[in-house]
Amino acid sequence: MKITSTAVSLTVDDVPASAAFLTAHFGFQEAMAAEGFASLVREDAADVIFLRRGIEVLPEDVRDQRAAGVIIAFTVADLDAEYERLRAEGVRVTMPPREEPWGERLFQVTDPNGVILQLVSWTAPDGR
């Protein structure tokens, strides 16, 4: 198998709201869109696809589910700068910056549909 690209597909109620959030605050560009569908791209990240909850392209037994329990994580070079930039843009931070004992520094924001976006940088774990 040769994988030529990677995408994450999330089911949400308001596709345009999630698409606008990622384009405005995370530098994604809309590659394709139609009623109930948006495909967003960024050269240095996996593609993100939003599908409207209930759309018939989804298997019938999952059509009415929303993206839940999913975190889209982006590793960034300067976590503190991204935190300040997003706050200045009025993005609500839903988990303030913290550092985990395994060396992960992170914070989280949430899009209008409840999709969690986590920004991460890595430091040396405690005690190493």
Side-chain angles (χ1 to χ4, degrees):
M1 169 175 45
K2 179 180 179 184
I3 296 174
T4 59
S5 65
T6 302
V8 60
S9 181
L10 302 167
T11 307
V12 297
D13 287 322
D14 187 346
V15 169
S18 283
F21 189 84
L22 277 187
T23 57
H25 302 296
F26 287 84
F28 280 80
Q29 296 179 338
E30 188 177 272
M32 294 178 274
E35 180 65 31
F37 166 83
S39 176
L40 305 176
V41 297
R42 200 185 140 117
E43 191 173 302
D44 58 354
D47 297 351
V48 177
I49 297 168
F50 291 110
L51 295 171
R52 184 187 65 241
R53 189 171 63 88
I55 197 166
E56 291 184 9
V57 70
L58 294 169
E60 191 172 344
D61 60 334
V62 298
R63 267 184 209 153
D64 289 323
Q65 295 180 8
R66 292 178 181 87
V70 175
I71 296 173
I72 299 176
F74 299 116
T75 301
V76 297
D78 190 339
L79 189 72
D80 297 324
E82 294 301 330
Y83 175 74
E84 292 305 325
R85 178 186 65 79
L86 288 168
R87 286 189 43 191
E89 292 175 4
V91 174
R92 187 173 63 93
V93 174
T94 50
M95 177 185 285
R98 60 190 277 174
E99 188 164 334
E100 302 296 348
W102 51 85
E104 181 182 27
R105 289 189 62 232
L106 64 100
F107 71 91
Q108 294 176 350
V109 300
T110 304
D111 91 342
N113 283 291
V115 175
I116 300 169
L117 298 133
Q118 179 172 292
L119 280 78
V120 177
S121 68
W122 292 92
T123 61
D126 289 346
R128 290 190 190 185

